[in-house]
Amino acid sequence: MPQTIAVLDFGSQLTQVIARRIRECQVYSKIYHFATPAAKLREDGVVGIILSGGPQSVYAKTAPHPDPAIFELGVPVLGICYGVQLMGHFLGGKVALSKEREYGHGHLTIKQPGKLFAGLPRRLRIWNSHGDKLTKLPPGFKATAISENSPFAGIEDTKRRFYGIQFHPEVFHTERGVDMIRNFLVGICRARQDWTTKDFIAHAVADIRAKVGKGRVLLGLSGGVDSSVAAALLHKAIGKQLTCVFVDNGLLRKDERNYVEALYKRNFKIDLRVVDASKLFLRRLKGVTEPEQKRKIIGRTFVAVFEQSLKSIGHAEFLGQGTLYPDVIESVSIGNNPASLIKTHHNVGGLPERMKLKLIEPLRELFKDEVRQVGAALGLPKEVVWRQPFPGPGLGVRVMGDITADKLEILRNADFVLQDEMMKSGFYWKVWQSFAVFLPVKTVGVFGDERTYDYVVALRIVESIDAMTADWAKLPYDLLQKISSRITNEVRGVSRVVLDISSKPPATIEWE
Ligand code: XMP
């Protein structure tokens, strides 16, 4: 049994980020409901408690409060933001109500490093996001750090091993925040640093087995990182009780379907059903040029085909999904509050309820990079684990205007050349995305002695951190030249290659 750090969740959207930072320190943590009885925490052998932030005021009628007995357990407690107000409220300090929240950067000046700020510079940039403020320390506490807006930005009671910080150490914007968390876990709670990806997998496997029992799980495999890792993990846990469905929508890249079949069916011996619905998709898309309409048709058709195929596969109790913890975007350039910038993905929304399937989402607490680590540890090849993102509507949003089988064929062949050269040169792994776009524009060219009148292909190669902003990648000219000449030589129907040199914003990454 690993030593557990309990994170009590008071409703902050950053609670999962705290858990992630704890994993980064190789310590095991579990997120608990805020009112979990202290006795339960004792029973679980908790060696330290973190009180998360939260959007409420401690005085609000509906304010989440912990079991006061957690302060009697004799284990160290770290209050973050709302967690500090709770300490003030429960331990005899004073908290001032404030109508406005205070967001953004501040500066921390450490007066007495103690164990929490050990080894850190005396001045650090921090990230604030709080409403109420602690105005009087509870007995036994002293202030260890101040900020421009609080004389109690860091507080401690070393006797009881209670610590509090007004700001958010878990977000990227707080300098050395992870070191503060590590100091708490290791220096104060004395937690063992032995929690690894392997342990995560072992835990997840046990958890899946306990949940699924003898039941059956269906999973839609897209070939992307998330669903691939979910499939590999579920397969490790329940083997033949897992059936994966891969829908060929006719909008896949060259050899995509064969690749997925070879990897999962032959290599992993997963029960994989491939549903060829390409004709249906193309029929429904015929003559449609408006991008949003194309997307809607593709989305709706996917759900219909997927639902039908699940019915024909036979009874199952569970639907597996590669849902990740929604990406928290940690970029200063976007908005003010990192917590408000959360995206959720649900690619088959509504379907589980209609089909009475229980969701099973073994990756839902993980972040993308952690999912990649899990994938690698499960033996998935680098090509899958480090795969570039590919949009759900596939080549449907990369053929401009109406979609036909011929245009898709030209795009597939051009895109294949691009991927091949990106892989060979190693740039595939260095950029965010690299793909070809089909332009329904004919231009004049010359091939041998013949005049040609053929289509244009654009190369879209971008660098990005989170896809919210992107910049076109400055690849070496000789590589671009090779890609261009190979496309015009090898791909019939293309006589001109252009390079997209637009950033996002104003252009998006995909063209439609
Ligand atoms: P844009 O074009 O909005 O794309 O700059 C941002 C990122 O999202 C991907 N993308 C999608 N992914 N379903 C997806 O799963 C979609 O409909 C979709 N549209 C765009 C795009 O490839 C890029 O990485």
Side-chain angles (χ1 to χ4, degrees):
M1 183 67 196
Q3 288 181 320
T4 308
I5 297 288
V7 181
L8 296 194
D9 182 11
F10 293 94
S12 164
Q13 286 171 322
L14 293 169
T15 303
Q16 293 286 357
V17 185
I18 299 175
R20 191 240 143 91
R21 298 291 173 236
I22 299 174
R23 289 196 291 274
E24 271 176 44
C25 300
Q26 274 100 47
V27 172
Y28 178 70
S29 74
K30 218 169 134 179
I31 295 174
Y32 287 87
H33 183 270
F34 61 84
T36 305
K40 164 75 179 149
L41 300 182
R42 185 185 296 117
E43 198 182 298
D44 287 1
V46 159
V47 299
I49 299 173
I50 295 183
L51 310 176
S52 84
Q56 300 242 33
S57 159
V58 286
Y59 296 118
K61 260 202 190 123
T62 51
H65 284 175
D67 174 0
I70 61 164
F71 295 111
E72 312 292 329
L73 283 173
V75 300
V77 180
L78 171 67
I80 294 175
C81 193
Y82 178 79
V84 177
Q85 332 297 2
L86 285 172
M87 289 174 128
H89 189 65
F90 278 85
L91 302 173
K94 254 202 193 119
V95 179
L97 266 176
S98 158
K99 281 210 178 82
E100 281 171 18
R101 284 188 82 78
E102 196 164 343
Y103 284 124
H105 282 294
H107 287 94
L108 185 75
T109 306
I110 296 169
K111 296 289 184 194
Q112 290 175 314
K115 284 188 174 167
L116 191 62
F117 301 123
L120 301 181
R122 289 296 170 108
R123 238 176 114 70
L124 292 166
R125 256 156 45 107
I126 52 170
W127 181 264
N128 289 303
S129 167
H130 59 93
D132 296 356
K133 257 198 241 175
L134 192 64
T135 49
K136 183 172 159 260
L137 286 176
F141 277 83
K142 67 173 192 283
T144 53
I146 60 170
S147 68
E148 38 289 73
N149 59 44
S150 171
F152 306 127
I155 61 170
E156 68 177 23
D157 171 349
T158 47
K159 211 159 160 205
R160 288 184 287 180
R161 296 184 295 167
F162 291 166
Y163 296 80
I165 38 188
Q166 182 60 77
F167 52 94
H168 287 275
E170 68 276 28
V171 303
F172 167 77
H173 316 284
T174 292
E175 250 181 297
R176 309 287 297 262
V178 184
D179 293 315
M180 298 175 199
I181 292 173
R182 188 182 298 103
N183 281 345
F184 177 71
L185 303 173
V186 183
I188 296 165
C189 302
R190 305 244 159 252
R192 274 197 306 269
Q193 291 178 281
D194 57 2
W195 181 249
T196 63
T197 305
K198 266 196 186 145
D199 297 305
F200 168 82
I201 293 172
H203 253 236
V205 163
D207 198 41
I208 293 166
R209 284 183 187 152
K211 269 199 192 117
V212 171
K214 291 194 179 340
R216 188 164 180 219
V217 181
L218 304 175
L219 177 116
L221 193 63
S222 72
V225 180
D226 309 345
S227 66
S228 300
V229 175
L233 188 54
L234 282 160
H235 185 251
K236 186 177 171 72
I238 54 169
K240 291 206 168 1
Q241 288 162 262
L242 170 74
T243 299
C244 292
V245 179
F246 179 79
V247 176
D248 181 351
N249 59 7
L251 305 165
L252 304 173
R253 284 160 292 190
K254 194 181 176 83
D255 291 336
E256 177 83 4
R257 181 169 150 183
N258 288 340
Y259 183 78
V260 170
E261 278 193 288
L263 180 63
Y264 294 96
K265 238 183 190 159
R266 275 168 246 152
N267 222 348
F268 270 88
K269 309 245 179 299
I270 286 182
D271 175 16
L272 173 69
R273 318 285 173 96
V274 177
V275 183
D276 185 351
S278 50
K279 288 209 173 78
L280 175 68
F281 276 86
L282 292 197
R283 204 165 59 235
R284 290 198 179 167
L285 285 167
K286 197 169 173 194
V288 180
T289 54
E290 207 281 313
E292 276 311 298
Q293 211 188 339
K294 282 184 180 177
R295 280 175 175 271
K296 279 192 192 120
I297 292 171
I298 296 167
R300 275 202 297 266
T301 309
F302 175 80
V303 174
V305 168
F306 191 62
E307 187 168 8
Q308 199 51 44
S309 64
L310 295 193
K311 277 185 189 152
S312 68
I313 282 168
H315 182 71
E317 296 82 8
F318 299 92
L319 181 70
Q321 276 197 339
T323 320
L324 309 195
Y325 176 66
D327 301 337
V328 178
I329 296 140
E330 300 185 348
S331 162
V332 202
S333 60
I334 318 155
N336 276 327
N337 176 14
S340 68
L341 291 157
I342 289 178
K343 304 187 274 188
T344 44
H345 317 235
H346 263 290
N347 38 17
V348 287
L351 192 133
E353 294 86 47
R354 273 206 308 283
M355 294 194 63
K356 301 202 167 38
L357 291 165
K358 283 179 253 170
L359 274 183
I360 186 145
E361 302 176 306
L363 310 174
R364 72 169 300 133
E365 289 185 354
L366 299 191
F367 289 73
K368 193 85 172 186
D369 56 322
E370 297 179 297
V371 170
R372 291 203 163 107
Q373 284 172 22
V374 171
L378 287 167
L380 286 172
K382 184 180 173 195
E383 287 71 27
V384 172
V385 170
W386 287 99
R387 193 155 223 211
Q388 293 177 2
F390 185 65
L395 302 185
V397 290
R398 293 181 181 172
V399 168
M400 300 303 95
D402 73 310
I403 300 166
T404 66
D406 290 346
K407 291 175 184 175
L408 283 168
E409 184 62 16
I410 292 175
L411 177 58
R412 268 189 201 111
N413 291 334
D415 191 65
F416 179 80
V417 171
L418 171 61
Q419 299 316 338
D420 189 40
E421 288 300 329
M422 292 298 286
M423 287 278 188
K424 278 185 190 153
S425 63
F427 276 97
Y428 178 89
W429 312 109
K430 295 181 190 157
V431 300
W432 175 264
Q433 266 172 302
S434 47
F435 56 88
V437 178
F438 178 90
L439 307 190
V441 176
K442 282 193 163 185
T443 71
V444 172
V446 53
F447 196 76
D449 291 333
E450 298 269 318
R451 174 188 186 273
T452 58
Y453 187 52
D454 276 330
Y455 289 112
V456 182
V457 159
L459 308 179
R460 183 64 166 149
I461 308 161
V462 295
E463 286 171 353
S464 177
I465 303 288
D466 52 23
M468 299 297 290
T469 61
D471 199 6
W472 59 283
K474 281 79 182 173
L475 295 189
Y477 281 163
D478 51 355
L479 176 60
L480 291 171
Q481 186 184 3
K482 194 154 186 205
I483 294 167
S484 160
S485 67
R486 272 194 63 194
I487 291 177
T488 45
N489 276 313
E490 296 172 27
V491 181
R492 285 193 58 176
V494 180
S495 59
R496 199 175 291 269
V497 177
V498 297
L499 179 66
D500 181 350
I501 54 168
S502 337
S503 300
K504 173 182 179 174
T508 50
I509 297 176
E510 302 290 342
W511 277 40
E512 282 191 343

